[in-house]
């Protein structure tokens, strides 16, 4: 599970303090401000009005929660959910008149 491995590695880095150039440093990982670019690079789309985040099930109703965490506040999308959503998109596109989809 790639997602689980990334969460584990980030958690390992966040749980320790490091000395860098004589200064005590800690790390905190947060989703980048440009999720749209990152999602595009991963083949995702974030233009959805209801669920704008590609990383977790964040809706327009709870996207303003400050300090929320993926895996706690919002659950990551499963591959099964991604496949079901992709099938719905394909169904919708195939229902459109030729040249529109």
């Amino acid at each position: 599970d790639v997602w689980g491995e990334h969460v584990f590695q980030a958690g390992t880095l966040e749980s320790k303090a490091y000395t860098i150039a004589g200064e005590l440093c800690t790390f905190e990982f947060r989703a980048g401000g440009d999720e749209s670019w990152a999602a595009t690079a991963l083949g995702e789309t974030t233009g959805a009005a209801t669920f704008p985040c590609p990383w977790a099930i964040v809706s327009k109703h709870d996207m303003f929660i400050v300090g929320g965490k993926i895996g706690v506040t919002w659950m990551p999308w499963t591959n099964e959910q991604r496949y079901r959503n992709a099938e719905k998109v394909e169904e919708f596109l195939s229902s459109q008149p030729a040249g529109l989809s």
Side-chain angles (χ1 to χ4, degrees):
D1 179 23
V2 174
W3 178 259
E5 181 63 23
H6 289 302
V7 171
F8 172 76
Q9 290 177 0
T12 300
L13 287 172
E14 285 183 330
S15 68
K16 299 177 183 176
Y18 301 87
T19 302
I20 301 174
E23 297 290 328
L24 189 62
C25 302
T26 59
F27 293 93
E28 179 180 7
F29 291 91
R30 295 181 177 221
D34 192 358
E35 286 186 7
S36 179
W37 179 88
T40 301
L42 294 170
E44 299 282 347
T45 57
T46 59
T50 303
F51 295 99
C53 177
W55 318 117
I57 305 171
V58 179
S59 76
K60 63 183 176 184
H61 303 292
D62 60 11
M63 65 190 290
F64 299 104
I65 295 173
V66 175
K69 295 185 177 193
I70 294 175
V72 178
T73 311
W74 307 286
M75 294 297 112
W77 293 100
T78 65
N79 279 339
E80 182 180 319
Q81 290 167 314
R82 290 173 183 271
Y83 292 134
R84 276 199 318 260
N85 289 338
E87 287 172 355
K88 289 178 186 177
V89 169
E90 289 301 322
E91 287 174 21
F92 173 75
L93 291 176
S94 66
S95 73
Q96 299 304 301
L100 255 175
S101 54

